[in-house]
Amino acid sequence: MVQTRPAYDTVSVGSLEFWAKTPEEREERFRILRDERPVSWQRPAEGSMLPQEDGAGFWAVTRHADIQTVSKNPKDFCSGQGVMIEDVPPDILEAASSFLAMDAPRHTQLRKLVSAAFTPKQVKRIDEQIKDQARRITDELIEVGDCDFVDQVARKLPMWTIYEMCGLPAERRSDAAHAADGMVSWSDEDVRQGKEPAELLNDSLITLINIGIDLAEDRRAHPRDDLMTNLVQAEVDGVKLTDEDIAAFFVLLSVAGNDTTRNTITRTLEALTRFPDQRKILQADYEGTIGVAIEEFVRWASPVMTFKRVATRDVELQGQQIREGDWVVMYYASGNRDERAFADPYTFDVRRTPNQHVGFGGGGPHFCMGNVLAKTQLRALFDQLLHRVPDLQGGEPVQVVGNFVDGVKSMPCTLNL
Amino acid sequence: MKVCVDYDKCTGLGLCESLAPEFFEVQDDGSLELLQTEGAESQRAELEEAVRACPTEALSLEG
């Protein structure tokens, strides 16, 4: 039986006009959908490189519980056909996404090679170095004074950390991080500077792949104690990884390692500026509150706003008939404000418990591998900032327009020392 | 009580290790090692927390 599609939802959460709004403004629409149509049929996304086929659209999943359902059922909702609201050609998909856009068993095998470097024990080994970097970054902030917080502070620690783990030489880190930004902000006209979306994505991807391949070749010749050396030496089913595999890892680590933590840092300063009583709680007993507070930082920021899955069979969700091949998009930003899962979801509460946010994903095999690393960075940086620049204030953030990450391009800050 | 790991589901992320380090440790090859299989009643809350936190639902308690 062929079922007809529902009409496109009048509450659109896929247009560029929608993504240009602030998180608070977007929330007005998410709230309507969560209450009335938790799984809604949406028009094809705007700002795409390859428009979806005529007549297609996608399902928007906006409730916390439904995001978990989709996320924990990779057999029904797979990642292997792409995870962004975008029809990416298969070769680009593999080169740009590595195991992010794969399913078991290949996903499990490849992810394990990298995840071993992100376990609590491994992250603890570099904890002191991360703290040291956070101290230096804060030294520089105090020296420079009022500035753009994103450029002067937020981008630095994630960039240092992920590339230190990879073993990327310092002089190439800025270029790599800049290219990583291009991978997630091609629908923003200001970032593109006259380029077409596909052109920016392609240029950024080639830059990262080349850096990744250079690094892999160097580590084959000169092994060191770092992640890239582990990757060139690793075998899956007795077969070494190709340069392309390793470069794809590097692309994924670059994007996932830079962007998410940077934006969480920025959004957290914004929140601590808006909710001064919460800042005081942290300052009064940092060690005692930061562990719980970090989860709230991530819930509040929801740095990854969406991920897509593709239905592998006809399946019903919240009364909607999802067909095999349909795009199903999880809106983490909405799930993290779901009244069904959080008391007073619009309140930034550094003591919130429980806090089962979906900021690292809704569970399942793709749960954020870098969560311990991200939390370690947040802990180290805000320890420095809140104690040494106690009245640091964030100004108006300038957002990236796009449907994937909640990017903040710049945000002025004043030190008030 | 007995602590059980479904190794087909475990992805070696280590959330359990950050919550109950005396029971769980992810090895350098990414595999999870169960350091103790028996938990005391006084450790139940901690273990339940680890079970609940596992994103792939690979952990369970028996008894």
Side-chain angles (χ1 to χ4, degrees):
Chain A
M1 185 182 78
V2 178
Q3 277 150 346
T4 51
R5 295 286 190 194
Y8 290 127
D9 207 294
T10 49
V11 176
S12 163
V13 290
S15 61
L16 281 181
E17 164 264 325
F18 174 72
W19 294 112
K21 292 173 180 292
T22 66
E24 286 72 27
E25 291 166 343
R26 290 178 205 141
E27 186 39 41
E28 292 167 17
R29 293 194 195 172
F30 287 146
R31 188 173 189 159
I32 297 170
L33 291 178
R34 284 198 304 268
D35 286 346
E36 297 171 16
R37 295 177 301 278
V39 177
S40 60
W41 182 243
Q42 298 279 332
R43 270 177 206 288
E46 272 181 6
S48 305
M49 289 173 287
L50 294 170
Q52 251 182 293
E53 286 169 35
D54 284 350
F58 66 91
W59 299 101
V61 179
T62 43
R63 275 190 196 168
H64 185 273
D66 296 328
I67 290 170
Q68 289 184 318
T69 299
V70 172
S71 191
K72 288 180 176 178
N73 287 292
K75 286 204 171 85
D76 291 343
F77 303 102
C78 74
S79 294
Q81 296 173 48
V83 293
M84 289 164 75
I85 319 177
E86 184 69 41
D87 223 348
V88 181
D91 53 331
I92 296 209
L93 189 65
E94 180 128 358
S97 314
S98 186
F99 58 83
L100 190 67
M102 288 181 193
D103 299 301
R106 181 108 177 122
H107 167 261
T108 320
Q109 292 174 319
L110 288 188
R111 175 169 155 137
K112 226 164 214 179
L113 298 177
V114 184
S115 70
F118 290 84
T119 62
K121 200 170 54 176
Q122 297 293 346
V123 173
K124 205 173 256 173
R125 283 185 191 161
I126 56 167
D127 185 39
E128 281 308 316
Q129 287 174 278
I130 290 173
K131 283 182 184 158
D132 189 48
Q133 284 301 314
R135 197 175 305 120
R136 286 186 200 191
I137 289 165
T138 308
D139 289 346
E140 285 168 17
L141 170 68
I142 293 169
E143 204 178 301
V144 167
D146 298 353
C147 58
D148 169 18
F149 182 75
V150 176
D151 189 54
Q152 185 64 38
V153 179
R155 75 181 180 93
K156 287 185 179 170
L157 190 58
M159 180 172 78
W160 182 88
T161 306
I162 194 66
Y163 291 139
E164 189 71 13
M165 288 178 76
C166 289
L168 184 67
E171 66 273 13
R172 300 197 80 174
R173 291 179 184 177
S174 258
D175 285 346
H178 183 70
D181 286 351
M183 298 287 301
V184 293
S185 51
W186 34 258
S187 52
D188 188 295
E189 280 186 25
D190 176 41
V191 176
R192 285 208 306 271
Q193 298 190 332
K195 286 185 181 179
E196 289 298 312
E199 193 184 354
L200 177 66
L201 178 74
N202 214 34
D203 290 355
S204 307
L205 183 59
I206 288 169
T207 301
L208 286 174
I209 288 175
N210 285 336
I211 295 174
I213 288 177
D214 282 356
L215 195 53
E217 282 173 354
D218 185 74
R219 288 307 183 274
R220 270 198 201 98
H222 313 285
R224 285 179 20 188
D225 182 17
D226 58 30
L227 186 49
M228 287 309 262
T229 306
N230 296 348
L231 290 178
V232 297
Q233 293 173 346
E235 292 185 354
V236 173
D237 295 334
V239 180
K240 283 231 161 43
L241 299 174
T242 63
D243 273 2
E244 287 72 25
D245 289 334
I246 296 172
F249 271 124
F250 182 75
V251 176
L252 173 58
L253 292 171
S254 286
V255 175
N258 275 298
D259 206 82
T260 50
T261 314
R262 178 184 59 216
N263 293 319
T264 305
I265 291 167
T266 307
R267 289 296 188 191
T268 298
L269 178 63
E270 185 192 16
L272 292 169
T273 304
R274 256 181 67 192
F275 298 89
D277 54 322
Q278 299 298 305
R279 176 192 302 241
K280 287 203 182 79
I281 292 169
L282 275 169
Q283 284 168 330
D285 177 17
Y286 192 80
E287 281 306 309
T289 46
I290 188 62
V292 168
I294 285 173
E295 302 296 340
E296 183 70 348
F297 296 175
V298 177
R299 182 189 78 92
W300 192 259
S302 296
V304 176
M305 300 186 292
T306 62
F307 263 132
K308 177 184 82 181
R309 299 290 184 259
V310 176
T312 59
R313 63 178 183 93
D314 294 354
V315 53
E316 191 182 306
L317 189 65
Q318 290 288 2
Q320 298 281 27
Q321 304 299 322
I322 295 172
R323 289 190 219 159
E324 181 182 342
D326 280 358
W327 289 10
V328 179
V329 177
M330 297 173 282
Y331 280 74
Y332 303 112
S334 172
N336 279 339
R337 296 289 184 277
D338 188 346
E339 304 78 359
R340 291 152 200 83
F342 303 99
D344 301 323
Y346 304 122
T347 303
F348 177 72
D349 175 4
V350 296
R351 291 185 287 202
R352 180 182 295 280
T353 38
N355 189 349
Q356 300 295 319
H357 66 78
V358 287
F360 292 125
H366 291 274
F367 190 89
C368 177
M369 191 179 75
N371 75 90
V372 179
L373 189 66
K375 289 193 267 196
T376 302
Q377 294 181 59
L378 290 165
R379 178 188 281 266
L381 186 62
F382 282 97
D383 192 5
Q384 290 287 321
L385 293 177
L386 289 175
H387 293 123
R388 297 177 59 200
V389 199
D391 293 320
L392 180 65
Q393 304 284 310
E396 199 62 35
V398 180
Q399 289 179 195
V400 173
V401 179
N403 62 29
F404 179 44
V405 297
D406 177 36
V408 181
K409 287 181 275 197
S410 64
M411 184 174 84
C413 72
T414 53
L415 276 60
N416 309 300
L417 283 173
Chain B
M1 87 215 69
K2 192 162 176 263
V3 186
C4 308
V5 181
D6 182 339
Y7 286 98
D8 289 336
K9 288 184 177 171
C10 175
T11 58
L13 202 55
L15 288 181
C16 51
E17 181 180 331
S18 44
L19 293 163
E22 63 274 40
F23 286 92
F24 308 101
E25 188 179 288
V26 182
Q27 303 304 300
D28 289 349
D29 66 354
S31 64
L32 177 67
E33 191 179 321
L34 199 52
L35 305 174
Q36 301 177 51
T37 52
E38 286 295 324
E41 201 51 39
S42 60
Q43 294 165 309
R44 183 178 285 276
E46 182 189 358
L47 283 166
E48 280 176 349
E49 179 94 344
V51 169
R52 199 180 40 72
C54 177
T56 55
E57 296 170 351
L59 302 178
S60 56
L61 301 177
E62 277 177 16

